[in-house]
Amino acid sequence: MQRGTAVKKIIALVAVAGAVLFFVKRSRSAKADADLWREATAPTD
């Protein structure tokens, strides 16, 4: 039974790591979009 709990822990860690990476990537993408929008709508002199 110990092997089963170890596998479950590993799966849980992988799931958490995947979720963290997903949200970090989404956050960076949103920041890049905001930067592009700011640059595109900046007044030109």
Side-chain angles (χ1 to χ4, degrees):
M1 273 309 222
Q2 284 183 344
R3 180 177 258 170
T5 53
V7 170
K8 286 181 185 177
K9 284 182 183 179
I10 290 171
I11 291 172
L13 285 173
V14 168
V16 169
V20 168
L21 288 174
F22 174 77
F23 284 114
V24 166
K25 186 176 179 182
R26 224 172 101 181
S27 174
R28 285 185 183 166
S29 177
K31 184 183 182 312
D33 285 348
D35 288 345
L36 280 172
W37 179 255
R38 200 173 303 116
E39 195 175 311
T41 57
T44 55
D45 291 331

